[in-house]
Amino acid sequence: MKFDKFHNSRIHIMFEDSGEEGDVSQKKMSPLSAVVGAFENLANLVNSKSNGDCYQPELHLDMFCDACSLVSVMFSYLGLAFKFAELEYVSKVQDLLEASETYDTLDNILERDVTNDTVKAPGSLSRNLRRVRQGLDLVRALFEQFLSTSDYTLKEAASTAYAQVCAPYHSWAIRTAVSAGMYTLPTRDQLLLRLNETDQSAEKKMKRYINASVPIIEYIDKLYISRNISLDW
């Protein structure tokens, strides 16, 4: 499985983040470090230029899925309130991972669905990509709210992030269930403990994820916009 393939690079990310070398078995890797390292690698690819011109490199589907698979732990740490997001996100990433055996790039899956007129069809790869992109954006918004003030509870941060990113596309029933689940969220300190981070280390890494995820999200949006496909779905 390609998910497993990425595990080896996680060790590299851990050393890169800590600046240390040594016995891997004696070190505990922060899940946030793995996420940040993976998305910074993707962002570097997306931001790279060919010979200084405006060429935008293609993003390989398997590498994208490897990075996205690391984000699911963020939803699991948030508990019941984001269980819906975790289940949907994981299943969509898995579908895209399986598709990477056939389609090389994100652009390829858009082309396939445009040709078949199935871009917005339930279960289509293009629809799955939109949902995964939404999950990445939800984590970005959550981190932004989390860092906005130390007086902001996780419930307040998560509620605002959900309202910005997901609520406009969810039914009343889902919005109501999410609202009820917000009361089960861990505290800020509990989340930091689960992430194996301090306030200081979490702030640095969350900022790095925000900066790295934005060009990835924009890249995905441009794949649709360039084909005159709206983003309001």
Side-chain angles (χ1 to χ4, degrees), residues 214-232:
V214 168
I216 306 303
I217 292 168
E218 291 177 346
Y219 176 91
I220 295 171
D221 286 347
K222 287 177 183 178
L223 292 178
Y224 295 85
I225 294 171
S226 66
R227 294 171 170 83
N228 296 317
I229 301 170
S230 66
L231 303 177
D232 57 347

Side-chain angles (χ1 to χ4, degrees), residues 149-210:
T149 171
S150 59
D151 295 329
Y152 217 22
T153 67
L154 185 56
K155 176 181 177 295
E156 291 170 322
S159 297
T160 301
Y162 174 77
Q164 290 176 354
V165 177
C166 298
Y169 308 105
H170 285 169
S171 66
W172 175 86
I174 293 178
R175 295 197 303 271
T176 300
V178 171
S179 178
M182 290 294 180
Y183 292 95
T184 68
L185 285 168
T187 64
R188 289 175 66 100
D189 288 342
Q190 288 171 335
L191 179 62
L192 291 173
L193 185 61
R194 293 176 184 182
L195 290 172
N196 192 30
E197 302 287 352
T198 64
D199 276 317
Q200 293 75 21
S201 66
E203 179 178 356
K204 291 178 181 178
K205 293 172 189 177
M206 287 180 180
K207 286 180 177 178
R208 286 170 59 190
Y209 173 81
I210 292 168

Side-chain angles (χ1 to χ4, degrees), residues 76-122:
S76 67
Y77 286 162
L78 293 171
L80 184 61
F82 283 84
K83 192 63 178 179
F84 78 95
E86 180 187 3
L87 293 174
E88 181 177 55
Y89 180 86
V90 169
S91 70
K92 299 300 187 283
V93 172
Q94 183 62 38
D95 287 345
L96 291 174
L97 178 68
E98 292 172 0
S100 71
E101 299 289 345
T102 304
Y103 302 99
D104 190 39
T105 67
L106 274 64
D107 191 74
N108 291 157
I109 65 175
L110 262 294
E111 279 300 307
R112 176 252 198 187
D113 283 336
V114 168
T115 299
N116 295 332
D117 194 24
T118 55
V119 170
K120 298 183 181 182

Side-chain angles (χ1 to χ4, degrees), residues 3 60-70 93 96-97 100:
F3 278 140
H60 285 273
L61 187 55
D62 57 353
M63 185 177 183
F64 174 74
C65 291
D66 285 337
C68 290
S69 70
L70 301 173
V93 172
L96 291 174
L97 178 68
S100 71

